[in-house]
Amino acid sequence: MTEEETRRKRQARFERLAQVVVEPLHRYLLRRAGADLAEDVLSETMLVLWRRIDDVPGPGTGSAPDPVTEPDPDPSPDEVLPWCYGVARGCLANARRADGRRLRLVERLIRTQQRPPTGAADHSDHSDLHAALGALGALDREVVQLWAWEELAPRQIAEVTGLTSNAVSIRLHRAKRKLAAQLGRKDAERSGHKRDEGRSSQ
């Protein structure tokens, strides 16, 4: 295969990959970052995918069929998305590290200009859930979000995070118990029950 044919094949594979992963990656990033940052990181993620297109799992990896007589099949989301989520996660972490100081300054300025909320009515419907998620460790929160929002199985979450499937299952089980306990306490408080200072008598 000539260099030009190889380039065309890589371009065709990237275009097929982009059709499958752009929207899920955009949703993944929007759930973890503001719209502007999500757009920037999505662009960076797609650039990395283009540069590493030969490393992306799925059809077209390894020895290639003839691009005319044997075109690659479209990639399966189950094959490529966990790997691509891992790339997006790394790009987002890099962007946050690079932009951390500026973001912290902006957050401090915003806090000084905003008044604290006056009551529960100011909270969104999902404020308790977001607060409970925020109480988890960063990795546990990521595992829960990948499971609940991206609907990944533990083995796929393991591929995104670099953990083993068993470690993901354990973290997911413990995190769901913590979330249930915290949300249960919030429901009890809202219904008028006071929390005990020590161990519950019930």
Side-chain angles (χ1 to χ4, degrees), residues 42-103:
L42 178 62
S43 297
E44 179 64 23
T45 300
M46 298 310 295
L47 180 59
V48 172
L49 293 180
W50 164 247
R51 290 171 177 166
R52 300 185 60 189
I53 189 64
D54 295 330
D55 298 328
V56 179
T61 305
S63 59
D66 184 274
V68 176
T69 60
E70 298 180 67
D72 292 330
D74 290 339
S76 163
D78 286 342
E79 286 182 299
V80 297
L81 270 176
W83 196 90
C84 295
Y85 283 141
V87 173
R89 183 171 182 254
C91 290
L92 181 57
N94 290 340
R96 283 174 169 162
R97 279 194 294 268
D99 217 21
R101 291 180 182 175
R102 183 185 65 82
L103 288 176

Side-chain angles (χ1 to χ4, degrees), residues 135-157:
L136 297 175
L139 186 53
D140 285 347
R141 182 167 60 252
E142 179 76 351
V143 166
V144 170
Q145 289 172 335
L146 286 167
W147 171 77
W149 292 345
E150 270 62 57
E151 299 182 350
L152 297 187
R155 63 176 177 79
Q156 295 172 312
I157 297 172

Side-chain angles (χ1 to χ4, degrees), residues 126-140:
H126 303 292
S127 59
D128 288 349
L129 176 58
H130 287 299
L133 282 170
L136 297 175
L139 186 53
D140 285 347

